[in-house]
Amino acid sequence: MKLSLIANSPDMETMIATSMLTTTSGAMPSTLYDRLKAKPEKVADIVGRVEVQHGNILEHNRLVWRLEATRDEVLEIMLKSKFFNITEAGSDTWVLSCNLRTIAEYHQIHPDEFSRELIESIKEAAPHVYGFIKGDKE
Amino acid sequence: MKAELLTYTPLAEVKKVFPDLETDLLLPHLNYTFAIEKVSRACSHQLVRHRVASFSQQSQRYITVKRLSEKIVVPPSIGSNEDFDDLIDSASIAYQKLVESGIPKEDARFILPNATETSLLLTMEGKSLVHFLGLRTCNRAQWEVRALADMILEQLRAVEPIIFNRAGPYCYQLGYCPEGRHTCGKMKEVIERYRVE
């Protein structure tokens, strides 16, 4: 099985912080997003306090991978989590996508090789989420 | 009311790797996140019926509703109406009294009307969004959610015309009206409204 990240929503961690503050502050979400984009240190601080249980704030994003896997391997992924979107793109080649919540929850329940590959692929795009998902299990 | 597209996964990035895959097959892999602001709770109730989506909404458990009469959505059909205004004022006073007396906000909010303004983040994948637009830009949709859906569509067409120039009410997408006996009977003019040159 081989996984390559090919696309993701931009500013994923800024959006997580925006989502957290939207629920608890009276400020408009677009204002929060613009303010937070200019303050990466604040985003890091807020995202550093995220817990996996607070799942919905991790859903405002999507990551897309090229997956090389057999049909059996793909079936196993689909049986383990219903939240992956998977499309056949050729012989043993698939488009796979999900959001950060799916990755975090999958890793909590199935810390297998596939989940480790998923997590390693988000290291640059969502470094703080990468940190807490990894730290949560290790 | 305001709807602003904050982030999305661009079709072009996925197409670079999968140029031969039909765009429709890629729609579930593309996400769009909007800031939806100053809509009524009646409107947000309609949004959350679209279950294949993610929402982060201002919580009335944590945010005190101050000056309710300035933070409501008034339907044009009501406009300036003494009964409506009186009820909003009464609800506002009662809510403040409850909060000041120590009732938790999560309980005091039971008195707040559907007209109360709310803001939220909405994320939907492409396929669900095309379905949402099919239903909510329809002439039969309620005016507030239809106005919101029109704003959303306008912004999507600006960034991803290949996908969303084909989106709009179902009569525009399908070439026939699926509303049956509930049809607005104005399919031709609706299609014309959403047609892209």
Side-chain angles (χ1 to χ4, degrees), chain A residues 19 30 59-60 62 85 87 97, chain B residues 28-29 31 37 54 56 59 123:
Chain A
S19 169
S30 62
E59 292 177 9
H60 298 286
R62 184 158 287 268
N85 273 334
T87 303
S97 70
Chain B
H29 300 286
N31 254 32
E37 296 173 359
S54 299
S56 295
S59 169
T123 298

Side-chain angles (χ1 to χ4, degrees), chain B residues 38 42 68 71 116 120-121 137-138 172 178 181:
Chain B
K38 299 190 174 190
L68 178 66
K71 291 185 177 171
T116 310
L120 60 134
L121 284 176
T137 57
C138 171
Y172 174 77
R181 66 190 174 89

